[in-house]
Amino acid sequence: MIYVFIGLIILLIIIYFLCGLRIVPQNYVGLVETLGKYSRTVKAGLVFIWPIFQSLRKVSLALQPLEISKYRIITKDNAEITTSLTLNYLVTDAYKYFYNNTDSVESMVQLIRGHLRDIIGRMELNEALGSTSEINAQLSKAIGDLTDIYGIQVVRVNVDELLPSPEIQKAMDKQLTADREKTAAIARAEGEARNIELTTKAKNDALVATAKANAEAVKTQADADAYRIDKLQTALDKAGDGYFRNQSLDSFNQLAQGPNNLVVLDKDEITDLGKIPAAKKIWDQSED
């Protein structure tokens, strides 16, 4: 009977020790509490605690993402904008993270919100909407090591969006539409002015080209006439009396063959009319 009792005690001891075995996963640490009071910190692996008297809390040291939901901020010029941001943080001190604050993550979020509200509150609406990178840099610098009191380190923080209130956004859309219409009107007017300028220039160039062509044609014609007259004058200067006499005879013959019988001659040449056979014959017939 006593052996059975001893065996039962040994079995209970084995079960007790087996119940005290705990496994801390990779990238975690364990906080051992004895009767509700912090006792020690253990690293990843197999650890032993005293069941009933001790407990183990596991804290992750891995990088964790967090999204801070949209909330409203008032800018320097009293414009309301809605912002949201994301961040990555990790636990650097498990003791501070778990024991120094009831909710270290929520405290960190409130700290970041307060600094972001202060940064944007010193900016006007247009400046804030166009300065997301600057806001990120100022926010990262502002929180710095402040979250160390919570045992947390913020690795990255990023403002995802800054949205004006619906009323302001409608006003901005109207302004943007007006600016675009103004730009389009200016561009259209400049295009029409440029088109008129090019058309006028083309017409002027055409008129100038036409005038130059006409001038060249007149000049060419004048040169041709002068050349013809010069050649004719040269030929006449070289021609003898016989050439002019023949020309006169041809002219009289053409007049005689025409319907008119009246011939007009110079007074100096009228005495020579009788020397022309055709004229002499006409003269004799008139005397008869």
Side-chain angles (χ1 to χ4, degrees):
M1 185 67 181
I2 189 170
Y3 293 107
V4 175
F5 181 73
I6 295 174
L8 183 59
I9 292 176
I10 294 174
L11 179 61
L12 291 175
I13 293 173
I14 293 174
I15 294 174
Y16 180 80
F17 272 94
L18 290 177
C19 290
L21 294 177
R22 297 287 190 274
I23 296 177
V24 178
Q26 178 68 33
N27 215 17
Y28 277 73
V29 295
L31 301 176
V32 180
E33 296 177 346
T34 304
L35 298 177
K37 182 180 179 180
Y38 170 77
S39 176
R40 70 184 189 277
T41 301
V42 294
K43 296 182 179 180
L46 182 64
V47 298
F48 175 78
I49 62 173
W50 296 102
I52 302 175
F53 303 102
Q54 292 183 331
S55 62
L56 179 67
R57 298 182 183 276
K58 301 173 184 178
V59 180
S60 174
L61 302 180
L63 188 67
Q64 300 186 48
L66 178 65
E67 181 179 355
I68 300 179
S69 59
K70 298 179 180 179
Y71 63 100
R72 297 176 180 177
I73 298 177
I74 304 299
T75 61
K76 183 179 179 181
D77 51 352
N78 296 322
E80 183 181 284
I81 61 175
T82 301
T83 181
S84 63
L85 52 86
T86 56
L87 58 89
N88 295 96
Y89 72 94
L90 53 83
V91 176
T92 56
D93 190 322
Y95 180 87
K96 291 181 180 180
Y97 174 77
F98 193 81
Y99 295 109
N100 284 7
N101 201 290
T102 303
D103 191 338
S104 294
V105 174
E106 180 61 26
S107 297
M108 174 189 65
V109 170
Q110 293 178 2
L111 176 68
I112 292 174
R113 281 181 174 178
H115 281 289
L116 183 59
R117 186 176 292 108
D118 177 66
I119 293 171
I120 295 180
R122 289 184 275 108
M123 294 182 175
E124 294 186 353
L125 176 61
N126 291 334
E127 181 184 2
L129 294 178
S131 305
T132 305
S133 299
E134 182 181 349
I135 293 174
N136 289 335
Q138 290 187 31
L139 185 58
S140 298
K141 183 179 179 181
I143 60 177
D145 299 329
L146 295 179
T147 55
D148 184 60
I149 61 176
Y150 309 127
I152 297 175
Q153 178 184 356
V154 177
V155 178
R156 184 190 66 85
V157 60
N158 182 68
V159 176
D160 293 329
E161 61 180 10
L162 292 172
L163 296 176
S165 63
E167 294 77 12
I168 295 177
Q169 195 159 2
K170 288 180 182 178
M172 293 177 66
D173 290 341
K174 290 181 179 179
Q175 181 64 37
L176 182 61
T177 301
D179 291 341
R180 288 178 177 174
E181 291 177 351
K182 178 181 178 181
T183 302
I186 292 174
R188 185 164 52 251
E190 290 178 349
E192 292 176 354
R194 179 60 176 168
N195 183 46
I196 293 173
E197 179 183 354
L198 293 176
T199 302
T200 303
K201 184 177 183 302
K203 290 181 178 179
N204 291 339
D205 291 343
L207 292 174
V208 171
T210 302
K212 288 183 178 180
N214 291 335
E216 289 292 332
V218 171
K219 182 177 181 301
T220 302
Q221 183 63 40
D223 292 341
D225 292 342
Y227 178 79
R228 180 177 57 80
I229 294 172
D230 183 65
K231 289 296 184 180
L232 181 61
Q233 185 64 43
T234 302
L236 291 175
D237 291 342
K238 294 180 179 181
D241 295 337
Y243 172 78
F244 293 105
R245 188 177 299 110
N246 290 334
Q247 291 295 320
S248 299
L249 290 176
D250 290 338
S251 298
F252 285 133
N253 287 333
Q254 292 177 4
L255 289 173
Q257 294 175 2
N260 299 321
N261 293 324
L262 177 63
V263 178
V264 179
L265 294 176
D266 186 75
K267 66 178 181 178
D268 295 332
E269 296 179 353
I270 194 64
T271 55
D272 297 330
L273 182 61
K275 299 179 181 180
I276 301 175
K280 183 178 181 181
K281 181 177 179 181
I282 294 172
W283 181 270
D284 294 338
Q285 290 177 356
S286 64
E287 288 181 352
D288 294 338

